[in-house]
Amino acid sequence: MATVSARCLWLLLLWLGVLHSETQHNRVSMNDDLLLPYAKRHGSAHSHRHIRDCQSVVHGNVTYETWPSSQHGGAPLAESSVFVSDARGATQWAYGHMTTVHDPLRTLSVLEPGGPGGCGFNHRATVAETAEAAGCLFSQNAGFFNTSTGQCLGNIVSDGRLVRDSNGVQNAQFGIRKDGTLVLGYLSEEDVTDQGNPFVQLVSGVGWLLRKGQVYINQSIQAECDNTQETGSLNKFVNVVSGRTAIGHDADGKVVLFHVDGQTGVRGMSLWEVANFLKKNGVVNAINLDGGGSATFVVNSSLASYPSDHCKPDARWRCARAVSTILCVHPRHCHPRDCSGHGECLQGVCRCLEGWRGAGCEGLVCQPPACGAHGVCTSGGCVCDAGWSGHNCSEECMQGFYGDSCNQTCACANGGSCDPVHGRCTCRPGFHSDLCQQECPLGFHGASCSEECHCEDQCPCDPQTGSCTNPLREAVNLTLQRAGHCLARKMFTTWRQEEATEIQPYLTEQTWLIIAIGLSSLLLASLVVHLRRAFPASAGHGRISDRRDYSCVPLTDINKVSQPRKAGVEPDDSDSQDETWSLRSGGS
């Protein structure tokens, strides 16, 4: 590696800036420098199991490498250097950039083209366009894409969002998991979608360059090979010089972004040269990303590389290509950026609210089984079920209390106990009702007053024990007295009602007395009349004295009907009258 003078670098950057300004406003890429690894279907023809079974026994069954990332919290966030390399020999130089990211978990992201949702619309955008919208400090192109449709290819996770799942297609991957672990190599579909420690960033390349500090290209060709590709065999894709981008990490867990300018078959580096260059500069694991005319490096949304695509309509100029995903080095972000809604992001670090913990404030400080079987963990600690209390919900409510937080007071009377959950009363023997306020009715005793007394003469028993010998309490005596008084009143009332409803005679005693007196008077009057008729002395006294002739009439014939006379003889009325008067006179 050689150095160049500051003046030359300044002139080069100035010229690139002018070129960017011209191309941005007037020209677009012709997409003529294509470097594609596959002719038809993108990705290896082999399964993950095949790759696992065919790799060297020194790696066991693990098809990827992991490394703890650096979490340097100071400044600078990243350092970028321009290199001029003699990798092709003294007659040909390669120009490019190496950027070291000190805190990759919080400052490195995989971004969709143009922003979130770009892959869903098969959108393409230049690295500068995507970087400007996201506020990237340093950025370069990343994953492969379909040059005809613009479809993003491979696995993609952007800031914790699974953008695309390749369904197990085997290509070299670079990712950062939630805990900051760096992952490089071949992943199964289960590895990609694992939620135990999910990926927050993930991108697919083609070609595993370095594994554990050793060049791994031959093994990678066997794992990712296919029959043909648009620009030749996979071996040619590996061996041809071109513009290249790659990503890896060093022994300290710092992520290294690599970019080299080039034009396919003319200038740049082969993958062998890239692998050896990275190994020489302390990189441990690395994979290859999209290259050729896609190779682009941007600083603060300004083009800082020399593109290989010609521009249209004027082919005298070179234009940056609209690509798919990019790698963006940005000011510290929290993961997730809203700290899971339970904290505040300050310089890339989540400051969690009380009761929450974790890098993204995603976990409760209180974790099961801290609250036992009778509570649940919340941000405020254990929340106990009704009827339980204590810092770990292991204590039942004290006697006389119930409900949530044991803050409800029991209302059970006569020594009854209440359920600590719902507050329902359990009465002592001898009492009943919802609040145990009522004593057992006379003749019953025991729990819930469900047992009958068996005392002589059906006397009441003790409502609690059922004893027939215990003297009745004053309250019971009073109850009995009131009951007797009430019963007597009801009996008298009932009798009166029965008497009132009996059938009354038609005539009262007084009426019968009047009737009897009246009848007696009538009898006496009748007797007087008969007597007067029988003894008319005072009425005919004068005539009797004048007449002396009379006839004798037997007493038995008085007031009787005269015997019938013989036929042909009828008495004279005057004679009969005279005879009567004669009789009465004679009798007097």
Side-chain angles (χ1 to χ4, degrees), residues 26-328:
N26 301 311
R27 292 172 282 273
V28 295
S29 169
M30 294 176 63
N31 298 321
D32 53 333
D33 185 12
L34 296 178
L35 181 62
L36 303 177
Y38 303 103
K40 298 180 180 179
R41 184 180 65 88
H42 181 87
S44 170
H46 303 303
S47 67
H48 180 263
R49 181 174 181 177
H50 171 83
I51 293 175
R52 181 193 64 194
D53 294 342
C54 293
Q55 69 179 359
S56 174
V57 294
V58 299
H59 301 298
N61 290 326
V62 181
T63 58
Y64 56 86
E65 299 296 330
T66 61
W67 204 274
S69 66
S70 169
Q71 297 186 14
H72 175 68
L77 302 178
E79 296 175 296
S80 184
S81 302
V82 178
F83 68 85
V84 179
S85 173
D86 58 353
R88 301 293 299 167
T91 59
Q92 192 173 32
W93 299 85
Y95 303 88
H97 301 82
M98 281 189 64
T99 304
T100 303
V101 184
H102 298 288
D103 188 8
L105 177 62
R106 296 177 179 85
T107 62
L108 181 64
S109 294
V110 176
L111 301 182
E112 297 179 74
C119 285
F121 294 101
N122 293 337
H123 181 62
R124 291 169 58 186
T126 65
V127 175
E129 290 170 343
T130 303
E132 183 176 14
C136 302
L137 304 177
F138 304 99
S139 53
Q140 67 181 43
N141 66 293
F144 288 81
F145 60 94
N146 187 305
T147 56
S148 299
T149 65
Q151 179 187 16
C152 301
L153 300 176
N155 295 308
I156 302 171
V157 175
S158 175
D159 290 335
R161 293 181 303 105
L162 179 61
V163 174
R164 190 176 189 277
D165 180 0
S166 68
N167 297 317
V169 173
Q170 294 302 298
N171 285 113
Q173 314 278 322
F174 170 86
I176 306 175
R177 291 196 179 272
K178 189 174 183 179
D179 65 354
T181 300
L182 305 176
V183 180
L184 292 92
Y186 301 115
L187 304 175
S188 67
E189 188 171 4
E190 291 75 16
D191 294 328
V192 173
T193 58
D194 174 36
Q195 294 301 307
N197 183 21
F199 282 103
V200 293
Q201 314 294 341
L202 183 64
V203 66
S204 297
V206 174
W208 194 345
L209 304 178
L210 293 175
R211 185 172 188 179
K212 292 184 177 180
Q214 301 299 317
V215 176
Y216 200 68
I217 294 177
N218 280 331
Q219 297 89 328
S220 177
I221 292 174
Q222 295 177 2
E224 300 183 51
C225 68
D226 201 353
N227 293 329
T228 59
Q229 66 164 49
E230 293 181 20
T231 57
S233 66
L234 187 59
N235 282 327
K236 183 177 181 180
F237 172 81
V238 170
N239 295 323
V240 67
V241 294
S242 186
R244 304 284 186 175
T245 55
I247 186 171
H249 69 84
D250 62 15
D252 296 327
K254 299 175 183 177
V255 170
V256 177
L257 305 181
F258 173 86
H259 160 266
V260 63
D261 285 325
Q263 184 176 355
T264 303
V266 178
R267 52 188 171 84
M269 288 184 176
S270 68
L271 290 187
W272 294 100
E273 293 166 341
V274 172
N276 284 303
F277 182 87
L278 293 174
K279 179 181 177 180
K280 181 179 178 180
N281 284 275
V283 176
V284 178
N285 294 291
I287 68 167
N288 173 64
L289 298 174
D290 191 14
S294 297
T296 309
F297 186 77
V298 171
V299 178
N300 291 324
S301 70
S302 296
L303 184 65
S305 60
Y306 182 69
S308 59
D309 277 353
H310 292 85
C311 299
K312 58 181 180 181
D314 191 346
R316 294 178 302 170
W317 305 100
R318 302 298 174 100
C319 291
R321 178 183 295 175
V323 296
S324 176
T325 54
I326 73 167
L327 293 167
C328 170

